[in-house]
Amino acid sequence: MKEIKVLSVTSEIYPLIKTGGLADVAGALPAALASEGVRMRSLVPGYPAVISALTTATSIVRFADLFGGPARLLAGKSGDLDILALDAPHLYNRPGNPYLQRDGTDWPDNAQRFAALSFVAGWLGQGQVGRWRPDIVHAHDWQAALAPLYMKFGEKAHAKSVLTVHNLAFQGRFAAGLMQELQIPPSAFTVQGVEYYGDISFLKGGLQSADHITTVSPTYATEILSPAMGMGLDGVLNQRARDLSGILNGLDGVAWDTATDPYLPVRYKSNAVQNARRRNRQALQERLGLRPDPDAMVLGVISRLSEQKGLDLLLEILPQLLAENIQLALLGAGDAILQQGFARAAAAYPSAIGCAFNYDEPLAHLIQGGADAFLVPSRFEPCGLTQLAALRYGAVPIVSRVGGLADTIIDANPVALAAGVATGIQFGPTEAAPLMAAIRRAVTLWRDPKIWRKIQANGMATDVSWKRSAHLYAKLYADLINN
Ligand code: ADP
Ligand code: GLC
């Protein structure tokens, strides 16, 4: 079989730059797809963290003026990643978060910054840069969504395009007055193109132009067709429903491996879990200043603090958790009001509520390796990666029944328990009372070690790797090329 050449276009990629799961996925796909006969190169903005991570770099093309300044495209390596870094200092050479200024508001030129990324991807997709020509341009989220549009409205024959929606809530909506500056052809400013209620919507433009659309779980692919979950784009998505599919994310097998994890005080294999996890739990309690109480169930959370993640509901039920002798180990950053709420609770009950409000990779691993249960109460969740790590590490997931959470966890209802297939606990709707009921259900199961260990073992035996999904992406690429 001939090798398939794919250009992945992404605004984040682990381990170079990450704000969320998009980076994990973009970082894991190239290796996962290599064994499927796919060679993936990743086009990313040349943020300082990206440029400094390149171990080799050759300039393959220069732009005298790319949306307001000179730029060049660097081809290089970082570890095993094959990177094309768009070195455009006027757009990307700034410290901190890729999307936000220090005060938490968007960079004022995000339209130019991410249109530039997509514009160069469009060029590559039309074979206009150097000799390398991709068969497929695979764009991720709104930041790359104009790439399929630039190709479709461009003049040259172009590669096939795939747009993956990791989160429909972020759409890249900007004033129509930017059309010319962003070099979007006027003919694209229609309902069938980039126009959205009189504005430009990057994501809509991509949804209308891509040859195929994927999202990151089958359930989310269905949910977004409904007005309730479609975030205003359900109409467009319904029109394109035939070209829309859901492919579940996997979990990186090197970064998340209990047998080799450098951040775990005690590493373990699936045949010797209990003792190791007990000691990791003690280390976690110590790390967050929690009471070393073996009778308290430790509930872990690792999350962006945002409306999506439903953690306001957790705040609401904290008093009830305390009454049940449940301890909380929370790692999260984001929304200031949520953060203040958890900080206040932790200050009032330091021995039961332990929080860290930063980005902390080692602590994330310690929580997965030590918490008894792991909570993801999202209002919507395209896929979710933390519940996959929880499954693999033996922290029993408690999740809302939405999106990828619904697809990856088997609820411990009486039938699933009797059949011996449960891997966690699900609840719905995403409201405080059902959430509390789910946690109570978890505590009851936790107090019965035989049942709990069975649920835990089922979770650890679940295949959360990229294997199956890598195959599905490879097949999708091949089908697009052959049609
Ligand atoms: P989303 O992309 O919506 O934030 P995911 O569950 O897909 O949600 O991915 C989140 C990723 O970010 C996971 O790899 C998770 O471990 C990581 N993560 C989230 N918050 C933190 C944090 N404060 N510190 C370290 N890792 C975090
Ligand atoms: C998004 C979603 C999350 C998903 C991640 C990677 O950030 O919120 O559910 O796992 O992208 O696809």
Side-chain angles (χ1 to χ4, degrees):
M1 205 176 64
K2 201 169 142 272
E3 182 184 73
I4 297 177
K5 288 175 286 178
V6 179
L7 177 72
S8 168
V9 191
T10 178
S11 59
E12 7 184 318
I13 188 163
Y14 181 85
L16 311 191
I17 176 107
K18 164 168 165 177
T19 72
L22 166 60
D24 293 307
V25 172
L29 271 180
L33 283 163
S35 52
E36 296 286 337
V38 173
R39 167 136 191 260
M40 185 174 267
R41 302 181 88 177
S42 304
L43 173 67
V44 283
Y47 314 116
V50 168
I51 301 292
S52 66
L54 294 179
T55 48
T56 59
T58 323
S59 173
I60 54 170
V61 64
R62 283 173 192 277
F63 300 86
D65 181 1
L66 182 68
F67 298 171
R72 56 188 186 152
L73 191 61
L74 298 175
K77 295 281 276 183
S78 181
D80 289 336
L81 292 171
D82 200 340
I83 299 285
L84 292 171
L86 181 55
D87 184 24
H90 63 295
L91 300 174
Y92 309 125
N93 186 13
R94 17 188 121 157
N97 187 288
Y99 317 119
L100 308 174
Q101 319 186 70
R102 205 188 288 256
D103 67 2
T105 58
D106 289 355
W107 291 110
D109 56 349
N110 274 350
Q112 288 83 348
R113 297 174 74 229
F114 296 107
L117 178 73
S118 304
F119 187 78
V120 172
W123 263 54
L124 284 157
Q126 294 174 85
Q128 307 212 63
V129 182
R131 267 165 310 169
W132 188 75
R133 184 172 185 157
D135 303 304
I136 300 276
V137 171
H138 187 163
H140 297 275
D141 270 353
W142 75 266
Q143 296 91 335
L146 285 185
L149 180 121
Y150 284 125
M151 286 195 285
K152 182 176 168 186
F153 286 86
E155 279 157 17
K156 298 256 169 39
H158 56 80
K160 291 288 199 286
S161 59
V162 175
L163 173 63
T164 294
V165 178
H166 296 263
N167 196 328
L168 203 58
F170 304 109
Q171 304 182 353
R173 190 166 167 179
F174 302 100
L178 289 171
M179 284 287 292
Q180 200 178 352
E181 187 184 343
L182 303 182
Q183 298 188 46
I184 304 174
S187 59
F189 196 73
T190 67
V191 179
Q192 297 310 321
V194 77
E195 190 271 339
Y196 186 69
Y197 293 102
D199 287 337
I200 297 170
S201 163
F202 282 25
L203 189 61
K204 186 189 168 192
L207 293 174
Q208 294 286 34
S209 307
D211 291 307
H212 192 88
I213 301 162
T214 71
T215 183
V216 287
S217 70
T219 292
Y220 192 60
T222 308
E223 287 171 344
I224 57 179
L225 297 177
S226 73
M229 301 282 250
M231 305 270 175
L233 289 171
D234 43 293
V236 175
L237 286 161
N238 272 290
Q239 278 174 27
R240 299 241 36 211
R242 247 188 302 152
D243 301 310
L244 167 68
S245 57
I247 301 180
L248 262 187
N249 289 334
L251 188 68
D252 187 305
V254 177
W256 294 99
D257 180 350
T258 60
T260 57
D261 192 323
Y263 304 124
L264 289 183
V266 186
R267 298 176 195 137
Y268 51 97
K269 292 199 174 143
S270 54
N271 57 359
V273 176
Q274 302 309 327
N275 189 37
R277 288 190 51 89
R278 195 173 315 115
R279 287 164 59 198
N280 290 336
R281 194 183 111 112
Q282 281 164 4
L284 175 61
Q285 286 172 319
E286 200 175 306
R287 165 76 171 74
L288 292 175
L290 298 169
R291 197 172 58 248
D293 177 356
D295 289 327
M297 185 176 92
V298 178
L299 189 59
V301 174
I302 305 164
S303 184
R304 287 187 291 117
L305 299 180
S306 78
E307 175 78 12
Q308 174 191 345
K309 302 293 180 178
L311 291 168
D312 50 312
L313 304 174
L314 177 61
L315 256 186
E316 220 178 301
I317 61 164
L318 278 185
Q320 297 174 63
L321 292 194
L322 295 170
E324 299 267 351
N325 194 22
I326 293 169
Q327 296 184 349
L328 178 65
L330 178 140
L331 169 61
D335 182 271
I337 293 175
L338 280 172
Q339 189 163 316
Q340 281 158 19
F342 283 106
R344 235 176 276 131
Y349 304 98
S351 64
I353 299 176
C355 299
F357 302 111
N358 53 350
Y359 182 85
D360 187 335
E361 197 78 34
L363 180 57
H365 287 247
L366 182 59
I367 291 175
Q368 296 288 13
D372 298 301
F374 188 89
L375 181 65
V376 194
S378 307
R379 293 198 163 80
F380 69 94
E381 196 61 74
C383 180
L385 296 172
T386 58
Q387 86 280 10
L388 301 183
L391 283 173
R392 189 178 278 164
Y393 275 51
V396 172
I398 304 171
V399 305
S400 49
R401 193 179 290 108
V402 294
L405 302 173
D407 288 343
T408 53
I409 305 299
I410 302 174
D411 178 51
N413 58 49
V415 181
L417 284 174
V421 297
T423 60
I425 286 143
Q426 291 188 340
F427 69 93
T430 313
E431 286 164 11
L435 167 60
M436 190 58 218
I439 295 175
R440 285 215 174 86
R441 195 144 66 84
V443 174
T444 306
L445 294 167
W446 180 71
R447 297 206 182 283
D448 188 332
K450 201 165 153 244
I451 297 183
W452 190 257
R453 283 175 194 179
K454 175 67 178 154
I455 298 174
Q456 195 179 43
N458 288 342
M460 294 183 76
T462 303
D463 182 6
V464 295
S465 76
W466 270 106
K467 201 160 180 275
R468 207 174 146 260
S469 298
H471 185 69
L472 293 174
Y473 277 117
K475 184 170 179 316
L476 169 65
Y477 299 152
D479 288 349
L480 285 170
I481 292 167
N482 295 332
N483 291 331

